[in-house]
Structure formats: C-alpha cells, structure tokens
Amino acid sequence: MPELPEVETTKTSLMPLIGKTVKQLQLRHTKLRYPIAADLDGLVGYTLIDIKRRAKYLLLDFYHQTDNLHKTLLIHLGMSGSLQQYIDEPPRKHDHLLICFGNADNDQHDIWLHYHDPRRFGMILWLQNDSHLDTPDTHERFLAHLGPEPLDAAFDGDYLTRHIHNSPVAKTVNKAIKALIMDQSVVVGVGNIYAAESLFLSNIHPLTPACQLSPEQLARLVGNIKQVLSKAIEQGGSSLKDFRTGTGKTGYFQQTLSVYGRAGQPCFVCGTVLENVKIVSRASVYCPHCQPYCCSTITARNLSK
C-alpha cells in the first residue's frame, strides 16, 4: 500500500502538470472503493492550479477562468494505485481513468495522466458534495478526523506525551505504541514499514504500552519518525511491489530497511535473529535484544489483538 512517502513522492512528480489544462478525459472503469463520479468529464476546460497532500490523500485543485469556478479532486491510491504520466502510451488493463493535459499555446506535447489500480481499492471523489457518498461532505468524512502531519512542528514529543498521558480513554493509554503511532487520528502517515523502522531506531519494542514510555523516549521516537519519513521521501519511497511515481520511477528506501520484512534474519546492529509479532493484524518485526520488552505476558497478549 502506498504510504505517506510514496504519496508525497507522487505529488512531487506530478507538479509539472500545474498550469496545464484538461483537454479530454476517458473514464474506462468506474468501480473503485467508491464509484468514480460519472460527471468527471466536467473537468474539461479546467486548469490544474495546485496539488496538495493530506495524510495519504492527494488533493488536485482545478480552476476554470472563464466561469470563475473551482473544483477539487480527492484521490487515494488504495492498496495498489498509482498516477503515471505518458505522452503517447495506450492504456493498460488496469488503467481506470485517463486525463489529457495540454497547454493553451499547443507548443508542447499533451500529457496523459493514467490512474492505474489493479486491486481497485483506491478512490477518486469530488472534495465538495460527491453524490456517490451517503455523507455528502467528502472533507468531513475522510479528512476532518485526521491527526497532525508527522513532519509538521505540531507533531513533537510534547504532543505525543499529552495525547497519551492526558487521554481519559483507558484504551488509548494502554495501547501498544506501534498501534498508537499508526492510528491516523493520532498522527497521519506512519504506516507499517515506517513505524517498524522508527521503533527499531528508538530501541522500543512495538508491543510496549504507550503509557509506559517516558517523555524522553517519546521525544526520541518522534524524532526518528521524522527522520525515517524524510529519508524515505528523499529516496522516492518504498517500491515493495508495484509502486511507481508519476514519472514511472521506483523508490529505493526498501534497500535500507533494518527490520521490516526481515523476520528470521540477523539484526544489523547486534546479530540477534529478528522476530515477528502480530499487532492489530499487522506483521511487526523487531530485534529482541535492541528492543527489549518488559511487560507481562498477559498484557502482551491483550495488546497484540
């Protein structure tokens, strides 16, 4: 699944499309996680003026100068989605949406943006009042509950400490730290790969109850989350399966992974065989020596559910 670094890398690769106008649109398959709006061809004549990312969502802002109208598309890549640009390339089997961008002066080649998604678990919706949703406000449904961005200054050790120790909900206080930092309402975009790597750098066992960590440990964890995500973005994300950026390039952060996907192999730091535990149904690889665990077996069993 494309995580924050992959979505950020995709956003960056699509930036050359800003200022270009939609000339035509081909909707080949509408059945994604939610049906693609049938009136998407209404984008013809609109100019792309901005591309933003919020968590793992892309927001493409369009403007029609003649009609003085704005429209925004909310895109989520799901499990296997990607947005790729071509000049002259026939659609592939799983290319569900094709948007042709061109310049007003027609001096350059048109660029086709293909939305490719073999598993069809992504989504492409109008940000404002999409009729395909039972909740008409797309922003309220998908964006309003999200926590801070992990690379923003608002996400720091003090924030995480307050969230854990001031929470009136016992479930939050006792939550395994890995599950907590992967909770999108706490902080967005820390997926399984990046959570595992950040916890390893912080010498924190993924099952450690969040309430048992000191402010100093939480501050170190936040710093490592920022470091891991920044490095992943710099290296184009992780192309574990079929992820490609908008220009067709693959990421190479997976070549630097210390623990993720390495269960049964020796730790690069101490040589101990890496182990795996399921946390909220996700594989969590860790080093039992570098990330010691001090909680009781009963608590560990409850936290892994």
Side-chain angles (χ1 to χ4, degrees):
M1 174 187 289
E3 301 289 353
L4 185 150
E6 291 77 52
V7 179
E8 179 68 22
T9 301
T10 296
K11 185 197 82 170
T12 301
S13 68
L14 297 179
M15 296 303 278
L17 292 176
I18 291 179
K20 298 185 183 299
T21 300
V22 178
K23 300 179 69 174
Q24 57 179 302
L25 185 148
Q26 296 179 22
L27 185 54
R28 304 179 71 237
H29 303 286
T30 63
K31 294 183 179 179
L32 301 181
R33 190 191 323 181
Y34 301 97
I36 299 178
D39 60 349
L40 210 61
D41 57 0
L43 274 177
V44 173
Y46 278 74
T47 299
L48 182 63
I49 60 171
D50 196 12
I51 305 174
K52 298 188 286 288
R53 179 193 55 76
R54 179 69 174 108
K56 293 186 286 186
Y57 296 94
L58 287 171
L59 294 95
L60 277 61
D61 293 333
F62 293 88
Y63 176 67
H64 197 292
Q65 185 172 9
T66 303
D67 298 336
N68 192 28
L69 293 174
H70 289 264
K71 290 186 177 182
T72 301
L73 279 184
L74 179 77
I75 299 177
H76 193 287
L77 301 178
M79 300 292 291
S80 60
S82 62
L83 288 164
Q84 298 180 27
Q85 303 167 69
Y86 301 99
I87 292 177
D88 186 15
E89 185 79 18
R92 296 169 294 170
K93 179 180 179 181
H94 298 293
D95 287 352
H96 307 309
L97 173 66
L98 283 66
I99 304 176
C100 178
F101 288 89
N103 294 307
D105 53 19
N106 292 318
D107 285 343
Q108 298 180 0
H109 292 291
D110 293 340
I111 297 176
W112 285 88
L113 182 64
H114 294 206
Y115 176 74
H116 182 80
D117 190 355
R119 299 182 67 176
R120 298 192 185 187
F121 203 66
M123 60 185 190
I124 301 174
L125 300 170
W126 295 118
L127 182 61
Q128 301 87 3
N129 302 322
D130 194 296
S131 60
H132 289 81
L133 300 175
D134 49 18
T135 302
D137 189 338
T138 311
H139 182 279
E140 183 68 26
R141 177 161 181 169
F142 296 108
L143 303 180
H145 71 285
L146 296 174
E149 291 284 334
L151 297 178
D152 285 355
F155 179 62
D156 58 14
D158 289 340
Y159 163 82
L160 200 54
T161 299
R162 289 194 307 271
H163 183 88
I164 294 168
H165 294 288
N166 296 343
S167 174
V169 183
K171 188 175 181 181
T172 298
V173 174
N174 295 319
K175 205 170 191 177
I177 186 60
K178 184 165 185 282
L180 184 81
I181 62 176
M182 290 179 63
D183 185 336
Q184 298 295 292
S185 67
V186 177
V187 58
V188 301
V190 186
N192 199 26
I193 297 172
Y194 306 107
E197 295 297 307
S198 300
L199 288 166
F200 174 73
L201 290 176
S202 305
N203 302 114
I204 296 173
H205 193 289
L207 274 176
T208 303
C211 61
Q212 292 189 4
L213 294 172
S214 69
E216 292 75 22
Q217 287 176 301
L218 292 171
R220 184 181 181 193
L221 174 59
V222 167
N224 284 323
I225 288 172
K226 291 177 182 287
Q227 175 186 321
V228 167
L229 290 174
S230 297
K231 185 177 179 182
I233 292 170
E234 181 183 333
Q235 297 182 352
S238 302
S239 294
L240 296 178
K241 291 186 179 179
D242 52 2
F243 171 72
R244 298 290 186 276
T245 69
T247 55
K249 295 181 179 179
T250 60
Y252 54 94
F253 183 72
Q254 69 275 7
Q255 299 174 12
T256 69
L257 297 176
S258 296
V259 291
Y260 180 86
R262 298 190 62 247
Q265 300 179 43
C267 173
F268 290 137
V269 174
C270 69
T272 303
V273 174
L274 300 178
E275 297 182 5
N276 184 31
V277 64
K278 284 286 184 73
I279 301 177
V280 289
S281 302
R282 304 295 298 276
S284 301
V285 182
Y286 66 97
C287 174
H289 180 266
C290 296
Q291 298 167 267
Y293 187 56
C294 304
C295 199
S296 70
T297 304
I298 293 177
T299 304
R301 190 179 300 122
N302 292 335
L303 287 167
S304 65
K305 292 181 179 178

